[in-house]
Amino acid sequence: MNSGKTVLVPVEALRTFVREVFVGVGTEPKNAQICADVLIASDLRGIESHGVSRLKMYYDWIKKGIISPAVRFEVVRDGPTTAVVDAHTSLGHPIAHRAMNLAIAKARQYGLGAVAVRNSSHYGIAGYYARMAAEEGMIGFSFTNARPSVAPTFGAEPMLGTNPIAFACPTDEDFPFLFDAATSITQRGKIEVLAREKKPTPQGWVVDRNGQLSTDTQEILRGIPKELFALLPIGGAGEEMGGHKGYGLATMVEILCAGLSSGAFLWALSGMEKDGTPRPHRLAHFFLALSVEHFVPLEEFRLTLGGLLRELRNAAKSPGEERIYTAGEKGHAREQRIRGEGVPVSPSLQAEIRSIRAELGLTGHGFPF
Amino acid sequence: MNSGKTVLVPVEALRTFVREVFVGVGTEPKNAQICADVLIASDLRGIESHGVSRLKMYYDWIKKGIISPAVRFEVVRDGPTTAVVDAHTSLGHPIAHRAMNLAIAKARQYGLGAVAVRNSSHYGIAGYYARMAAEEGMIGFSFTNARPSVAPTFGAEPMLGTNPIAFACPTDEDFPFLFDAATSITQRGKIEVLAREKKPTPQGWVVDRNGQLSTDTQEILRGIPKELFALLPIGGAGEEMGGHKGYGLATMVEILCAGLSSGAFLWALSGMEKDGTPRPHRLAHFFLALSVEHFVPLEEFRLTLGGLLRELRNAAKSPGEERIYTAGEKGHAREQRIRGEGVPVSPSLQAEIRSIRAELGLTGHGFPF
């Protein structure tokens, strides 16, 4: 059964399986499809940390009652260009999908649209929702807060989430400009990759409770759940290299999400009661759509973007560097490749899939494991 | 005449002088007042690089015809929540002030408002305009592109501007949350300060045309006008410490400003013809206002913010650190102090002021020089 090595699985077979798993735990088919699409989109972009490797996490959280599989999207406040949504601890992906569609509809009518969401759960890659706007000829922003893992400047404990900023817009090329980045230097998933490769963690990514930078990958991964380590914001420790800028951006994301939704923030997102009992994370998101056509003709915008991005790529390169990329290029190239080759599924992910498949009695996906 | 040392000048005397200088070169009194307010606000926050020390730069550019002192604010496109403005190379400060007020007016009616501006000039500190929204109970964003000085990731020449992101919002304290940061690690003004202090430039701020990091402050300052050095984006060189994130954010700012206004971008902002003749910079700005009341009651938002910011400040500190700050706190403290003490005016700035004063025949400001 276990091949013991990573295998490539056809994209559509994996997508169908993921959808059936969510249906199997009680999610409406149309919402299960959205969950599958977001997870698969992450694997296609090569962001394995947010793809199908997270399926077991969602599955377990749903079974423990931390995430509600049946989606409840309650608009508690509605205006011409704005809305506030209570997600009632539902699955974050369909909540975010619907919230961004609401922002897009408002932007189509008025030029701008924004939706703040509270009491939600992990919504996968932030960029998925920003890209939805780009596919409608708009600029899209997607933000979310997250459980505490990042230290503020001069701090030594995790307070802020990795709080990503995602931004997407159309260009004159066949893929959008797509920026999707945590406001921390890195995130736990990258440190897990280093652990598998038995490599040290780069100096400057992680700080311990004594304010010392740590590079011991195994110790960091053991200590993170005990809050003994914190990730550092973009710019690193202190202010000399701009760490206060990453910290400020992370706080800005927290304000947009929790402030505009009156949602939970910082330690209230830990997902644990004081005695360690798991509870819903109650994350907050913020989505913003700007209709390009309300500013300039879309074709003109596409040409501006194309000129801008190609001028950047054509800049003088540092010796030894072959290319300068613009945001979204690498992910697009990976997507082309993985659509053809299939999604790499590691032995540990194969084991998780077999276990879920057995528990839910799912068959017929033709996986080679 | 020259005391040879820095003197403290009363804030209002300096503000009056700056206003009279702009009036003296042809700016309408109400717009000259805005220019003075923005420059003085910068000095009050302790951002000397963008304060009255820039007066001579604007003065010279106006005299050379690079900036038009009489302000022309042409709304070329107008929608319920959006507008595009052509600034016709006018002074950036009154243009930006009016653009942000337009965004605020739209947000008051519809919840959101955004204004893109093209063909403008340097507008001073980005945070001034974001703060205008905070003072109206709104969230404000202010972005601008700038002449090329920052290298893209893997690049070795200046392409992007320092492209700041400014964000402000009300809190339950007597000053707003105010984030205002270049998307580069630092900006030229900070390197000029190091030069005066005869200190090396920190490793990682600046890259040369060979892709090597430079720390030679004097050589960097001599080489920047010849494009021999480029600043690095937040996160630094390469991708390991997140340099691609700073680069992506800088590009995002360029897109919001130039893309949504069909304005000039990257090398077109150099301010020079191919033969080196100075020409208008044609900068683009982008302003966004979000009316908090359209999402949640303003008092509730203020309380959320207060709780969030104080929780951050109360985090465990790195040993040796006395305080954790939130964005806007340090600037507010400086403002309180400088309002009482006066603005520090260096000997070189005294000389510039004396020269402009003599040229324009201005008298009666009571400066001690």
Side-chain angles (χ1 to χ4, degrees):
Chain A
M1 283 285 277
N2 188 341
S3 67
K5 59 178 186 178
T6 293
V7 296
L8 294 168
V9 173
V11 173
E12 294 315 316
L14 199 56
R15 190 193 307 269
T16 301
F17 174 73
V18 174
R19 177 170 55 75
E20 289 178 9
V21 169
F22 280 102
V23 170
V25 292
T27 303
E28 307 84 342
K30 119 189 133 157
N31 289 325
Q33 183 69 53
I34 292 167
C35 293
D37 288 346
V38 179
L39 264 59
I40 295 292
S42 181
D43 281 311
L44 284 173
R45 306 289 292 185
I47 314 166
E48 292 175 31
S49 59
H50 284 60
V52 179
S53 68
R54 285 263 178 107
L55 179 62
K56 178 90 165 57
M57 179 186 84
Y58 295 112
Y59 179 81
D60 288 346
W61 279 346
I62 289 171
K63 291 188 73 174
K64 285 179 188 163
I66 295 170
I67 292 181
S68 163
V71 174
R72 189 165 157 216
F73 182 95
E74 185 192 3
V75 178
V76 292
R77 186 85 189 277
D78 200 19
T81 66
T82 56
V84 178
V85 170
D86 191 325
H88 297 281
T89 72
S90 309
L91 263 170
H93 316 73
I95 290 287
H97 188 268
R98 197 158 152 193
M100 183 45 109
N101 271 334
L102 183 55
I104 289 169
K106 289 173 183 295
R108 191 170 290 120
Q109 188 169 1
Y110 291 100
L112 304 175
V115 178
V117 179
R118 67 179 179 233
N119 295 326
S120 184
S121 57
H122 289 74
Y123 73 4
I125 44 170
Y128 186 91
Y129 312 102
R131 189 179 178 176
M132 286 169 61
E135 284 164 3
E136 300 289 329
M138 297 189 184
I139 288 179
F141 279 97
S142 160
F143 308 89
T144 184
N145 61 14
R147 61 181 171 191
S149 61
V150 178
T153 300
F154 304 139
E157 68 171 323
M159 295 296 293
L160 293 145
T162 50
N163 294 11
I165 297 174
F167 170 93
C169 68
T171 76
D172 66 350
E173 298 174 331
D174 60 354
F175 58 97
F177 180 86
L178 174 51
F179 174 79
D180 180 2
T183 47
S184 50
I185 299 173
T186 193
Q187 25 118 348
R188 185 173 163 172
K190 291 246 177 101
I191 300 174
E192 287 165 355
V193 171
L194 293 174
R196 287 198 289 276
E197 296 169 350
K198 302 195 190 308
K199 286 183 184 166
T201 296
Q203 174 98 2
W205 284 13
V206 174
V207 67
D208 71 15
R209 294 301 286 244
N210 296 315
Q212 300 298 307
L213 301 179
S214 176
T215 61
D216 185 331
T217 300
Q218 296 297 341
E219 195 176 88
I220 291 168
L221 287 178
R222 278 193 304 272
I224 281 180
K226 299 171 201 157
E227 296 136 28
L228 298 177
F229 293 95
L231 301 169
L232 283 164
I234 310 175
E239 297 185 334
E240 185 172 282
M241 301 307 284
H244 55 303
K245 300 187 179 190
Y247 162 44
L249 289 169
T251 309
M252 178 189 87
V253 173
E254 198 83 35
I255 292 171
L256 289 169
C257 296
L260 288 176
S261 74
S262 287
F265 52 81
L266 302 179
W267 271 98
L269 310 175
S270 68
M272 282 189 298
E273 303 290 353
K274 279 184 185 162
D275 66 1
T277 315
R279 67 172 186 199
H281 290 93
R282 301 177 58 217
L283 304 190
H285 318 308
F286 185 71
F287 305 94
L288 175 65
L290 300 91
S291 163
V292 169
E293 282 282 1
H294 280 73
F295 293 88
V296 291
L298 182 55
E299 284 314 303
E300 193 170 298
F301 180 87
R302 289 185 191 278
L303 290 175
T304 305
L305 261 284
L308 201 165
L309 300 179
R310 286 187 288 276
E311 188 176 333
L312 283 170
R313 291 177 203 148
N314 289 334
K317 282 141 208 74
S318 274
E321 299 296 344
E322 283 183 18
R323 286 190 57 182
I324 291 171
Y325 296 89
T326 55
E329 262 196 296
K330 284 187 181 180
H332 176 70
R334 281 191 213 103
E335 193 167 328
Q336 302 306 303
R337 178 170 54 75
I338 295 171
R339 275 192 195 283
E341 289 179 3
V343 175
V345 175
S346 68
S348 62
L349 180 53
Q350 292 169 35
E352 287 176 5
I353 288 175
R354 283 198 304 271
S355 141
I356 295 174
R357 188 169 58 182
E359 280 186 42
L360 294 178
L362 299 174
T363 54
H365 303 93
F367 297 154
F369 52 85
Chain B
M1 284 286 277
N2 189 341
S3 68
K5 58 178 188 179
T6 294
V7 295
L8 295 168
V9 173
V11 173
E12 294 315 316
L14 199 57
R15 190 193 307 269
T16 301
F17 175 73
V18 173
R19 178 170 54 74
E20 290 179 9
V21 169
F22 280 102
V23 170
V25 291
T27 303
E28 307 84 343
K30 116 189 137 158
N31 289 326
Q33 183 69 53
I34 292 167
C35 293
D37 288 347
V38 179
L39 263 59
I40 295 292
S42 181
D43 281 310
L44 285 173
R45 307 290 291 183
I47 313 166
E48 293 175 32
S49 59
H50 284 61
V52 179
S53 68
R54 286 262 180 108
L55 180 62
K56 178 87 165 59
M57 179 186 84
Y58 295 113
Y59 179 81
D60 288 345
W61 279 346
I62 288 171
K63 291 189 74 175
K64 285 179 189 162
I66 295 170
I67 293 181
S68 164
V71 174
R72 189 165 158 214
F73 182 95
E74 186 193 2
V75 178
V76 293
R77 187 85 189 276
D78 199 19
T81 66
T82 57
V84 178
V85 170
D86 191 324
H88 297 281
T89 73
S90 309
L91 264 171
H93 316 75
I95 290 288
H97 187 268
R98 195 159 154 192
M100 183 46 109
N101 270 334
L102 183 55
I104 289 170
K106 290 173 181 294
R108 189 169 291 119
Q109 186 168 2
Y110 290 100
L112 304 176
V115 177
V117 179
R118 67 179 179 235
N119 294 326
S120 184
S121 58
H122 289 75
Y123 73 4
I125 45 170
Y128 186 91
Y129 313 102
R131 189 179 177 175
M132 286 169 61
E135 282 164 5
E136 300 289 329
M138 298 190 183
I139 289 179
F141 280 97
S142 160
F143 308 89
T144 185
N145 60 14
R147 61 182 171 191
S149 62
V150 177
T153 301
F154 303 140
E157 67 171 324
M159 296 296 293
L160 293 146
T162 50
N163 294 11
I165 297 174
F167 170 93
C169 68
T171 75
D172 65 351
E173 297 173 332
D174 60 355
F175 58 98
F177 180 85
L178 174 51
F179 175 79
D180 180 0
T183 47
S184 50
I185 298 173
T186 192
Q187 25 117 348
R188 185 172 162 172
K190 291 245 177 103
I191 299 174
E192 287 166 356
V193 171
L194 293 174
R196 287 198 289 276
E197 297 169 349
K198 303 196 189 306
K199 286 183 184 165
T201 296
Q203 173 98 1
W205 284 14
V206 174
V207 68
D208 71 15
R209 295 300 287 245
N210 296 315
Q212 299 298 308
L213 300 179
S214 176
T215 60
D216 185 330
T217 299
Q218 297 297 342
E219 194 176 87
I220 291 168
L221 287 178
R222 276 194 304 272
I224 282 180
K226 300 171 201 157
E227 296 136 26
L228 298 177
F229 293 94
L231 301 168
L232 283 164
I234 311 175
E239 296 185 335
E240 185 173 280
M241 302 306 284
H244 55 304
K245 299 187 179 189
Y247 163 44
L249 289 169
T251 310
M252 178 189 87
V253 172
E254 199 82 35
I255 292 171
L256 289 169
C257 296
L260 288 177
S261 74
S262 288
F265 53 80
L266 302 179
W267 270 98
L269 310 176
S270 68
M272 282 190 297
E273 304 291 351
K274 279 185 184 160
D275 65 2
T277 315
R279 67 171 186 200
H281 291 92
R282 301 176 60 214
L283 304 189
H285 319 308
F286 185 71
F287 305 94
L288 175 66
L290 301 90
S291 162
V292 169
E293 281 283 1
H294 280 73
F295 292 89
V296 292
L298 183 56
E299 284 314 304
E300 194 170 297
F301 180 86
R302 289 186 191 277
L303 290 175
T304 305
L305 261 283
L308 201 164
L309 299 179
R310 287 187 288 276
E311 188 176 333
L312 283 169
R313 291 177 202 147
N314 290 332
K317 283 143 210 71
S318 274
E321 299 296 345
E322 282 183 19
R323 287 190 56 183
I324 291 172
Y325 296 88
T326 56
E329 262 196 296
K330 284 186 182 180
H332 177 71
R334 280 192 214 102
E335 193 166 329
Q336 302 307 304
R337 179 169 55 75
I338 295 172
R339 274 191 196 283
E341 290 179 2
V343 175
V345 175
S346 68
S348 62
L349 181 52
Q350 292 169 35
E352 287 175 3
I353 288 175
R354 282 198 305 272
S355 140
I356 296 173
R357 188 169 56 182
E359 280 187 42
L360 294 178
L362 299 174
T363 53
H365 302 93
F367 297 154
F369 51 86

